[in-house]
Amino acid sequence: MTAKKVGRAPRKRRLPRPAGRPADTGESLRFYYKGNRFKQLRAFVHIVKLGSLSRAAEALFLSQPTISLQLKALERELGATLLERRRRRVNLTDAGEALYELARPLIEGWETLEQDFQTRIKGLAAGKLVIAAGTSTIQYLLPELVRRYRERYPAVHLQLANVTGKDGLAMLRADEADFAVGSMLDVPNDIAWAPVYRFDPMLIMPPDHPLARKEQIALEDLSPYGLILPPQRLSTYRLVDLVFQRAQVSYQVAIEVGGWDVIKEYVAMGLGISIVTGICITEVDRARLAVRNLRQYFPQRSYGVVMRKGKFLRPEAQAFIDLIRPGLLVHRDYDEPGHSER
């Protein structure tokens, strides 16, 4: 019997690597991620918006190691640390904050490019606009603006989110609202604020009230009478308290209740007097209530447009803002403090 000749197994032929795909080495991966700045910036923006690498990876349908590599490549190329990891969240460094302000409008603009393109060539024939605002803003300030907007852009789905000032800021930061309309007391660093409308503080009381016989009313004149004010957690109450405390004048609160219409109704019933913002005073109110201006004691309240700095405004949003005032917030430099929504 002839012995079989034993030889080496045939070598498997290696298929050529597809063009553009890196070899599975750390060095190649480094150059692969270095070559796509858009992906790096998109990963960075989503990490900051969502607060963690894992959430960013989930939103972009990528693995967490991929997101991490993109971030590291971006930091290496720019020569700066952009994020600091603390427990389960990440915090922006000064360099990261600067880059985020520049990159976020670019990424948001790219992600909505197709929709915005269709809007531009077809006009505002579709789309959605979300505006955050408080009750008094929706009831007294926005109706005429909404009417004009609907006449011009009837196909746009308009949503008015009735929220407090705090919740409105949360919606802006989470990109759940295009912008807000209202007033501000303290303007955070990441928020742009453009006041447009100003209203005087007004004392309202029943027509037969003793103070209604006086044309000029001093702060001390209010002390004997119970005030009807919004709840303490709202800024109107805090502002009233601050003015009385600074003037060292005593005052008493008879009723705490929310809503300007409810307050006006209680005043008309003779249950107390109140200090309200002129925005809620109508001709009907002046016919059934005595109204006096208290601007000499209380500051005006400013109402305007509130938005996140660096926000990419879609055409639907820009069209509404242009109804308020053309070119408003174009330069992102409105940081004037005002008074917060009640």
Side-chain angles (χ1 to χ4, degrees):
M1 179 180 292
T2 305
K4 290 184 178 181
K5 189 175 181 179
V6 179
R8 292 185 301 175
R11 296 178 61 183
K12 291 183 179 180
R13 184 180 178 184
R14 297 182 65 181
L15 296 176
R17 178 167 43 87
R21 180 176 175 181
D24 296 331
T25 65
E27 187 69 14
S28 297
L29 283 173
R30 181 172 70 87
F31 285 109
Y32 170 67
Y33 286 108
K34 183 177 181 181
N36 199 323
R37 177 61 59 81
F38 170 76
K39 289 184 177 180
Q40 297 169 2
L41 291 175
R42 184 179 62 171
F44 168 68
V45 167
H46 278 78
I47 291 169
V48 178
K49 286 175 64 174
L50 300 175
S52 70
L53 274 71
S54 59
R55 290 179 180 176
E58 182 179 353
L60 296 175
F61 302 100
L62 298 172
S63 66
Q64 185 169 334
T66 299
I67 292 290
S68 181
L69 282 170
Q70 290 175 344
L71 175 61
K72 290 178 181 178
L74 182 62
E75 291 181 321
R76 183 167 53 248
E77 288 184 48
L78 297 179
T81 301
L82 303 175
L83 298 172
E84 294 178 347
R85 297 194 191 189
R86 294 183 179 178
R87 295 183 180 179
R88 295 185 178 181
R89 289 194 60 84
V90 293
N91 293 327
L92 282 169
T93 63
D94 291 341
E97 186 173 349
L99 179 63
Y100 184 61
E101 187 172 342
L102 294 171
R104 185 166 184 172
L106 299 177
I107 299 302
E108 291 177 349
W110 177 264
E111 292 177 343
T112 61
L113 177 63
E114 182 177 356
Q115 177 186 344
D116 295 337
F117 171 71
Q118 295 298 329
T119 299
R120 291 290 177 90
I121 63 175
K122 297 180 181 178
L124 295 182
K128 181 179 180 180
L129 173 61
V130 180
I131 303 174
T135 301
S136 58
T137 302
I138 292 175
Q139 184 174 359
Y140 298 108
L141 188 60
L142 291 184
E144 177 60 22
L145 291 168
V146 169
R147 183 190 65 79
R148 291 164 56 194
Y149 189 82
R150 292 291 298 156
E151 287 179 351
R152 297 188 185 186
Y153 315 109
V156 176
H157 177 73
L158 178 60
Q159 178 183 344
L160 302 178
N162 190 349
V163 294
T164 63
K166 180 180 179 181
D167 291 339
L169 290 178
M171 290 186 68
L172 294 179
R173 288 170 174 143
D175 278 337
E176 295 174 353
D178 293 279
F179 60 88
V181 179
S183 56
M184 296 286 288
L185 182 60
D186 299 308
V187 182
N189 292 332
D190 62 331
I191 296 297
W193 155 243
V196 179
Y197 311 98
R198 290 176 173 81
F199 300 92
D200 288 342
M202 299 291 187
L203 173 68
I204 57 174
M205 51 203 157
D208 58 352
H209 194 275
L211 293 180
R213 295 191 291 267
K214 303 182 65 173
E215 287 299 323
Q216 298 295 326
I217 296 177
L219 198 61
E220 293 81 0
D221 295 334
L222 307 183
S223 294
Y225 306 104
L227 293 174
I228 303 175
L229 295 178
Q232 294 186 37
R233 60 183 175 83
L234 300 179
S235 60
T236 295
Y237 190 109
R238 299 196 303 269
L239 184 61
V240 169
D241 178 73
L242 178 64
V243 170
F244 277 102
Q245 293 291 346
R246 286 182 174 178
Q248 297 184 342
V249 174
S250 61
Y251 73 100
Q252 53 181 311
V253 178
I255 302 174
E256 288 184 33
V257 62
W260 290 131
D261 280 354
V262 176
I263 290 176
K264 290 187 295 183
E265 188 63 32
Y266 280 19
V267 170
M269 292 170 60
L271 301 179
I273 62 176
S274 185
I275 302 167
V276 302
T277 302
I279 188 176
C280 73
I281 301 298
T282 65
E283 292 302 318
V284 174
D285 295 326
R286 291 183 181 276
R288 65 172 183 158
L289 298 171
V291 182
R292 299 291 184 272
N293 195 308
L294 292 183
R295 184 177 177 180
Q296 64 188 98
Y297 301 108
F298 296 87
Q300 285 184 317
R301 295 189 74 170
S302 301
Y303 288 73
V305 176
V306 187
M307 61 181 288
R308 176 179 49 75
K309 286 183 179 178
K311 170 71 176 178
F312 180 82
L313 280 178
R314 295 180 295 107
E316 295 89 346
Q318 189 62 62
F320 195 101
I321 292 177
D322 286 343
L323 288 178
I324 298 175
R325 180 182 294 172
L328 195 65
L329 282 173
V330 169
H331 303 293
R332 308 287 192 267
D333 56 357
Y334 294 87
D335 299 312
E336 177 183 339
H339 304 291
S340 64
E341 181 68 24
R342 179 184 54 80

